[in-house]
Every structure is written in structure tokens, then in C-alpha cells.
Amino acid sequence: MLAVMIVTHYWYPLESLHRYDFIFLAAIAFQIVLLATKLETWRESLVIVVFLSGGDSDGAI
């Protein structure tokens, strides 16, 4: 993922898709690859989803 972020910072040829949308899709694809190759379990993936769906939970507006 770090490599994707660095490469797209210096070279990103797609004009029809924003860079951050591409990075998001690459992260989803990477997660699918990890699950398909069983390098990550579904439980670990669920923990990531729950953590990231929490958003900003410190109560600040």
C-alpha cells in the first residue's frame, strides 16, 4: 500500500478516476487478496472494518 501511495504521488495517468479513489480500490483489492490467500482471517478483517467504521469517536464536533 505504501508503494501504491508513493508511485501515484509521482505518476498517476488516470484522469477519469481520482487518485484517492484509486488508492481506496487498491486497498480493497489488497484485502481481498489477503483473504483469498488466507494470509488474513475473516475475523481479522472484521476487526479492521469495525475499527474503521467507528470514525471519530472522541465526541468532538
Side-chain angles (χ1 to χ4, degrees):
M1 284 308 308
L2 180 60
V4 169
M5 293 174 67
I6 291 171
V7 168
T8 59
H9 178 74
Y10 293 106
W11 179 73
Y12 185 69
L14 301 175
E15 292 184 16
S16 61
L17 184 66
H18 292 285
R19 178 178 168 250
Y20 291 111
D21 292 338
F22 175 78
I23 292 171
F24 173 75
L25 293 175
I28 298 295
F30 186 67
Q31 186 68 31
I32 290 170
V33 168
L34 287 175
L35 289 169
T37 58
K38 299 193 185 296
L39 291 174
E40 187 167 37
T41 65
W42 284 99
R43 186 172 179 182
E44 291 169 331
S45 184
L46 179 64
V47 168
I48 292 169
V49 169
V50 168
F51 176 74
L52 293 177
S53 65
D56 185 18
S57 60
D58 66 351
I61 296 177

